[in-house]
Amino acid sequence: MIKTDILIIGAGPTGLFAVFEAGLLKLKCHILDALPQPGGQLSELYPKKPIYDIPGFPEVLAGDLVDGLMEQIKQFEPGFTLGERAETIDKQEDGSFIVTSNKGTKFHAPVIAIAGGLGSFEPRKPLIEDIEFYEDKGVKYFIKNPEKFRDKRVVIAGGGDSALDWSIFLANVASEVTLIHRRNEFRGALDSVEKVQELKSAGKIKLITPAEVIGINGAEHVESLDIEENGAHRKIECDYFIPLFGLTPKLGPIGDWGLEIEKNAIKVNNALDYQTNIPGIFAIGDINTYPGKLKLILCGFHEATLMCQAAYSIINPGKKYVLKYTTVSGVDGFDGTRKEAPKAVVKAIV
């Protein structure tokens, strides 16, 4: 049983920033996310794309924003359970909650903050016969441990940032990397496209375009793939097939928790604290809805801040928190570190 003050479901930018705001209030957080790494859509879908509407950053790459948020919350020592999806919730007699993941991990907290972005993400699977049979037998939709592909023959399918980035990374890990895309043009960061071109020229990546994987072969594990290229069929041998066609957002099991849902989003009270119809459960970021809702990262940051104030009142009933600016109070981390502005030197002028 993992016990914490606030269980945050979703490790996207809103969930990560909530850790910082909770830390200022001396509240401990644990984050649960179905994806294998923090960052949500920013890490999974467009890590190398620039964002232009983050206050103070005229331009910041999505991946760099995640890195900054992770650095910002490090001193508050949040716990992370990644690669697991929130499945069920049980309210206790004292008003707290026990959430159980799809892998059986249990979390106990008086406050739940659902920051799941557009919901739990499921991979977009190619329409290939028997592909489900080969899942965990050579077909992978996520790369959790790149070392698993050390000295293996890997085929990646896709034309976006994720396919390009992992092809580049695995070129120095796998014995053979083949990138297949149904078009000649790739929709990814220019530097990634150019790097793949360099690796192709150096013989470290095989590029097959325009082409499509139409079949998988192997008795107990992926042994080869059937490829359709320019109307012709051929077979290529491999150990792993990694189709990276993006993710499909779904509300998932959270939709069965008794929360008020409107158009696949969770209704909240935006006049006060973004609490749902169940006291103690909040929804912040893209996953919530209310009149005038804007699905922007900066709005999620605002919602996270007010949510933490309300969470403090639930966890510390009758105790009032006095708002202090960090420029005045500084920031005390749970790891013993302290950040504060330099103190003014008192000295007489003679």
Side-chain angles (χ1 to χ4, degrees):
M1 183 83 70
I2 296 173
K3 294 188 177 182
T4 188
D5 292 322
I6 304 176
L7 174 65
I8 300 173
I9 300 174
T14 296
L16 295 178
F17 187 68
V19 174
F20 178 79
E21 288 297 321
L24 295 179
L25 302 171
K26 310 299 182 189
L27 301 178
K28 188 79 173 175
C29 294
H30 192 93
I31 297 182
L32 169 65
D33 197 293
L35 293 176
Q37 74 284 314
Q41 297 177 64
L42 273 64
S43 296
E44 192 64 28
L45 300 183
Y46 51 94
K48 290 192 174 183
K49 289 188 177 179
I51 304 173
Y52 300 104
D53 60 355
I54 303 299
F57 290 92
E59 177 180 335
V60 60
L61 295 182
D64 291 345
L65 178 59
V66 173
D67 292 342
L69 288 165
M70 290 293 289
E71 179 64 27
Q72 187 178 28
I73 67 176
K74 185 168 65 175
Q75 61 183 334
F76 294 125
E77 300 181 322
F80 283 91
T81 298
L82 302 173
E84 297 187 29
R85 183 184 65 235
E87 197 78 15
T88 62
I89 189 167
D90 296 294
K91 191 165 187 175
Q92 308 302 294
E93 290 184 4
D94 63 356
S96 63
F97 304 91
I98 292 179
V99 172
T100 305
S101 79
N102 61 318
K103 294 187 179 179
T105 309
K106 293 184 180 296
F107 309 86
H108 185 201
V111 171
I112 307 294
I114 303 172
L118 298 174
S120 62
F121 287 99
E122 296 184 9
R124 289 194 177 98
K125 302 178 182 181
L127 298 175
I128 299 174
E129 188 177 354
D130 295 331
I131 191 168
E132 287 81 8
F133 171 80
Y134 292 101
E135 291 171 359
D136 293 325
K137 298 176 184 177
V139 170
K140 300 288 182 182
Y141 302 109
F142 300 105
I143 298 177
K144 298 180 182 179
N145 179 17
E147 281 300 313
K148 188 179 185 72
F149 307 102
R150 173 73 62 182
D151 301 324
K152 302 294 184 181
R153 299 165 300 175
V154 177
V155 173
I156 294 174
D161 284 315
S162 189
L164 292 165
D165 292 345
W166 279 117
S167 295
I168 294 166
F169 186 91
L170 292 179
N172 295 315
V173 175
S175 62
E176 183 179 287
V177 174
T178 302
L179 176 58
I180 296 174
H181 183 38
R182 59 184 178 180
R183 299 186 182 90
N184 291 319
E185 301 80 18
F186 288 84
R187 299 178 68 88
L190 181 59
D191 62 330
S192 297
V193 176
E194 291 175 344
K195 183 63 177 177
V196 167
Q197 181 64 55
E198 291 175 14
L199 291 169
K200 174 181 178 290
S201 300
K204 300 196 73 174
I205 288 179
K206 294 181 179 179
L207 188 63
I208 305 178
T209 60
E212 198 169 354
V213 177
I214 59 173
I216 306 173
N217 309 298
E220 296 297 328
H221 195 277
V222 173
E223 296 176 4
S224 66
L225 301 175
D226 294 323
I227 308 296
E228 182 177 331
E229 181 182 5
N230 292 320
H233 291 192
R234 66 183 177 105
K235 185 174 293 188
I236 59 173
E237 295 182 348
C238 67
D239 301 302
Y240 287 97
F241 173 43
I242 309 173
L244 298 174
F245 298 137
L247 302 168
T248 301
K250 293 184 178 180
L251 200 54
I254 290 175
D256 300 322
W257 285 8
L259 300 166
E260 193 173 352
I261 308 295
E262 183 179 284
K263 295 181 180 178
N264 209 40
I266 302 170
K267 290 187 70 173
V268 295
N269 174 11
N270 68 306
L272 188 61
D273 53 17
Y274 304 97
Q275 197 159 190
T276 68
N277 59 304
I278 300 178
I281 301 181
F282 299 79
I284 53 177
D286 288 356
I287 203 163
N288 74 15
T289 185
Y290 52 83
K293 169 70 179 181
L294 291 177
K295 294 190 176 186
L296 297 173
I297 294 172
L298 61 93
C299 295
F301 290 167
H302 164 78
E303 294 166 11
T305 304
L306 297 188
M307 178 278 294
C308 287
Q309 296 288 324
Y312 181 88
S313 298
I314 292 173
I315 296 168
N316 301 287
K319 190 174 179 181
K320 188 173 182 180
Y321 173 76
V322 179
L323 178 66
K324 296 179 181 178
Y325 301 114
T326 54
T327 50
V328 176
S329 65
V331 179
D332 292 304
F334 298 161
D335 57 0
T337 60
R338 176 170 174 77
K339 295 178 181 178
E340 61 180 334
K343 289 183 171 57
V345 176
V346 179
K347 187 175 181 181
I349 299 177
V350 296

